[in-house]
């Protein structure tokens, strides 16, 4: 993984995507990959621009952590689709990460404020 | 990793590409162009397969927390990462959206403020978390980022409730008030009855021990005496200089008019400056004045 500023940005975005998926599944119930991409695109165009397939990497990672589960079902178009849903472990993780994020936002806020001092 | 998993994954990807292409066809593209556009939007499938393989052969040690902490360190080294990007992250993670409502639709009484339809309040929107109310307070760090980066507002302020022990030899009492960032009164567009309101400069330590009184407190406690300006008031054992008095009609925020989880008293009795906190819990309400000519929809876009 590259260590430059671009690498940092993609790391942040990948971690962000994991969290956005957890959040979306928690808020909106089970979704398939395409549906998740559409919802996340609404929140933040940046994260998925020209790289929508990366949703599936996040989904795999989240499944490995047992924060989400999957099962095949039928989509709104009457086609076979894999639906993902958040698990109780996933909900706990979401709460933890949200708390952690607020703390990080504090750090970042401080950093940005420091940059502005004369 | 089984062959069935592989087949299922390929089926998922194929379906996703198909749905993307369908959208483009509906927009008028030929099937060929649509499929190419779909592949572009989806990104590199070969790399996707590689990433998938990597995840399944090497146990993933990175938690999101570690990723974000590392990113915070990277940001310190590369501060030119756009703050707007951080704002997007904050909004994307912290709430489904930062909702805004025109203040006039929230408040019960007519507003004595300049151009009241330009006033909006903003809060984190958590409709599905079991928090009691969907409108939730904002963290100081998020407010600071908003203030520095969101172009849609001509002025923006954060505020929270505070209770003050007024220590005074003659008449000790407890007053319910508001801590607010510098542009609070500017955003609301109100003028003081006497004296001045505080400003951005009053957020700085050393300049922040000033207080604005409500008309009610001024009459009750100081007999409506204009000489109150410049006098010291002891609040929570600290000296504050009274710099102004609000008009009789002014009482923002009124507790009953604010959404559920913002804990405000029925009527504020004094206002003191607040420097946006960088740590701690999210406990701020936000009010702002939209730039002239900007619609609420456009401001939401900007956020």
């Amino acid at each position: 993984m590259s260590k430059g500023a671009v690498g940092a940005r993609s790391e942040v975005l990948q971690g962000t995507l994991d969290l956005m998926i957890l959040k979306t599944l928690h808020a909106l119930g089970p979704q398939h990959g395409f549906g998740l991409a559409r919802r996340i695109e609404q929140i933040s165009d940046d994260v998925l621009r020209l790289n929508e397939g990366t949703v599936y990497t996040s989904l795999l990672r989240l499944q490995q952590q047992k924060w989400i589960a999957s099962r095949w079902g039928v989509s709104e178009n009457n086609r076979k689709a894999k639906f993902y849903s958040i698990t109780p472990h996933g909900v706990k993780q979401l709460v933890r990460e949200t708390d952690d994020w607020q703390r990080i936002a504090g750090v970042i806020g401080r950093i940005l404020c420091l940059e502005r001092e004369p | 990793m089984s062959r069935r998993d592989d087949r299922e994954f390929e089926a998922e990807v194929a379906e996703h590409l198909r749905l993307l292409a369908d959208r483009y066809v509906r927009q008028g593209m030929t099937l060929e162009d649509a499929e190419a556009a779909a592949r572009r939007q989806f990104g590199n499938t070969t790399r996707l397969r590689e990433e998938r393989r990597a995840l399944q052969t090497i146990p993933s040690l990175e938690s999101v927390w570690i990723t974000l902490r590392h990113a915070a360190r990277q940001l310190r080294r590369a501060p030119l990462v756009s703050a707007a990007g951080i704002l997007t992250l904050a909004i994307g993670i912290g709430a489904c959206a930062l909702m805004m409502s025109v203040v006039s639709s929230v408040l019960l009484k007519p507003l004595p403020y300049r151009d009241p339809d330009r006033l909006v309040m903003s809060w984190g929107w958590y409709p599905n978390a079991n928090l009691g109310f969907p409108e939730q307070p904002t963290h100081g760090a998020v407010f600071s980022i908003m203030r520095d980066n969101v172009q849609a507002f001509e002025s923006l302020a954060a505020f929270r409730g505070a209770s003050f022990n007024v220590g005074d030899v003659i008449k000790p009492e407890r007053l319910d008030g508001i801590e607010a960032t510098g542009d609070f009164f500017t955003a609301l567009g109100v003028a003081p009855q006497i004296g001045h309101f505080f400003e951005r400069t009053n957020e700085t330590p050393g300049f922040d021990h000033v207080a604005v009184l409500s008309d009610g407190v001024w009459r009750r406690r100081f007999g409506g005496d204009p000489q109150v300006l410049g006098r010291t008031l002891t609040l929570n054992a600290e000296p504050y200089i009274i710099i102004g008095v609000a008009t009789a009609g002014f009482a923002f925020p009124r507790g009953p008019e604010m959404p559920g989880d913002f804990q405000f008293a029925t009527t504020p009795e004094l206002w003191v400056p607040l420097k946006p906190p960088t740590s701690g819990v999210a406990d701020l309400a936000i009010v702002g004045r939209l730039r002239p000519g900007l619609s609420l929809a456009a401001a939401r876009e900007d956020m």
Side-chain angles (χ1 to χ4, degrees):
Chain A
M1 231 181 296
S2 96
K3 295 291 181 192
V6 172
R9 183 168 168 78
S10 69
E11 276 176 36
V12 174
L13 291 179
Q14 199 65 44
T16 306
L17 187 55
D18 285 4
L19 206 49
M20 278 197 207
I21 289 174
L22 280 182
K23 181 74 189 176
T24 306
L25 291 176
H26 182 56
L28 300 176
Q31 303 284 320
H32 47 64
F34 183 78
L36 274 169
R38 302 282 66 76
R39 304 269 185 275
I40 288 166
E41 186 182 56
Q42 276 166 21
I43 298 172
S44 172
D45 200 23
D46 249 359
V47 177
L48 293 184
R49 191 186 294 271
L50 298 180
N51 203 8
E52 200 163 296
T54 192
V55 158
Y56 290 98
T57 311
S58 284
L59 287 168
L60 180 55
R61 204 168 27 233
L62 292 169
Q63 274 189 283
Q64 285 180 334
Q65 306 277 16
K66 308 255 192 292
W67 293 334
I68 65 175
S70 68
R71 61 166 181 78
W72 283 94
V74 178
S75 75
E76 60 279 0
N77 301 330
N78 204 27
R79 297 187 56 80
K80 198 169 143 187
K82 201 170 194 186
F83 284 84
Y84 299 90
S85 52
I86 195 168
T87 63
H89 278 308
V91 175
K92 285 207 195 90
Q93 182 63 17
L94 182 59
V95 171
R96 252 198 308 266
E97 299 292 3
T98 306
D99 287 345
D100 287 345
W101 173 254
Q102 296 211 318
R103 243 169 284 145
I104 288 189
V107 170
I108 292 175
R110 249 195 317 273
I111 292 167
L112 292 179
C113 288
L114 279 176
E115 295 303 326
R116 304 179 75 77
E117 249 147 39
Chain B
M1 185 175 63
S2 72
R3 288 250 182 86
R4 198 183 68 176
D5 288 341
D6 287 347
R7 274 204 305 274
E8 285 190 352
F9 174 69
E10 295 299 331
E12 265 192 289
V13 169
E15 180 65 5
H16 194 127
L17 285 166
R18 209 192 111 105
L19 289 167
L20 279 176
D22 280 354
R23 280 207 317 172
Y24 285 120
V25 164
R26 274 200 297 272
Q27 285 167 23
M29 281 193 195
T30 66
L31 185 57
E32 205 175 272
D33 287 349
E35 283 174 352
R39 277 194 297 274
R40 257 199 315 275
Q41 186 173 342
F42 193 83
N44 190 329
T45 28
T46 309
R47 204 181 56 198
L48 194 63
R49 288 188 195 104
E50 281 166 18
E51 283 173 11
R52 190 164 169 270
R53 216 156 285 276
L55 274 178
Q56 291 178 310
T57 53
I58 302 163
S60 170
L61 296 172
E62 267 194 324
S63 72
V64 175
W65 166 236
I66 293 172
T67 303
L68 288 174
R69 204 168 58 195
H70 176 66
R73 253 182 272 131
Q74 291 291 91
L75 281 166
R76 207 178 332 192
R77 284 185 221 130
L80 293 176
V81 168
S82 109
I86 294 168
L87 177 65
T88 306
L89 297 180
I91 293 175
I93 294 170
C96 298
L98 279 178
M99 285 287 287
M100 289 197 289
S101 288
V102 177
V103 171
S104 59
S105 69
V106 171
L107 302 189
L108 303 173
K109 300 190 185 178
L111 299 177
Y113 316 130
R114 179 172 63 89
D115 279 342
D117 285 339
R118 310 304 298 159
L119 273 183
V120 295
M121 284 192 71
S122 156
W123 38 66
W125 182 250
Y126 298 81
N128 290 299
N130 285 331
L131 296 165
F133 298 89
E135 299 93 345
Q136 290 295 315
T138 304
H139 194 281
V142 175
F143 165 75
S144 291
I145 292 172
M146 274 176 73
R147 183 162 70 171
D148 293 342
N149 293 285
V150 177
Q151 306 296 329
F153 294 105
E154 125 190 339
S155 51
L156 193 68
F159 58 96
R160 64 185 178 195
S163 211
F164 299 95
N165 281 318
V166 185
D168 190 322
V169 179
I170 303 158
K171 261 166 91 170
E173 74 181 282
R174 199 167 174 79
L175 291 179
D176 291 315
I178 296 290
E179 292 175 321
T181 61
D183 288 327
F184 180 77
F185 295 101
T186 311
L188 291 170
V190 288
Q193 192 178 157
I194 59 168
H196 307 279
F197 288 138
F198 50 76
E199 309 169 332
R200 277 293 283 265
T201 49
N202 293 108
E203 290 180 17
T204 315
F207 297 90
D208 56 356
H209 276 43
V210 295
V212 171
L213 304 179
S214 71
D215 178 75
V217 163
W218 180 46
R219 295 194 186 281
R220 192 178 72 240
R221 196 186 170 77
F222 296 96
D225 181 3
Q227 302 290 330
V228 76
L229 298 180
R231 269 208 230 148
T232 303
L233 196 59
T234 305
L235 301 173
N236 294 340
E238 307 231 346
Y240 283 71
I241 300 188
I242 300 170
I243 59 166
V245 177
T247 54
F250 180 78
F252 185 89
R254 280 197 189 86
E257 292 169 340
M258 294 290 120
D261 258 1
F262 292 92
Q263 307 286 327
F264 293 114
T266 311
T267 314
E269 301 179 290
L270 64 115
W271 294 263
V272 296
L274 172 70
K275 189 176 158 85
T278 52
S279 59
V281 298
D283 59 358
L284 300 177
I286 296 179
V287 65
R289 177 169 293 277
L290 293 176
R291 281 196 197 282
L294 204 62
S295 69
L296 191 58
R300 284 192 182 124
E301 287 270 306
D302 191 19
M303 301 253 293

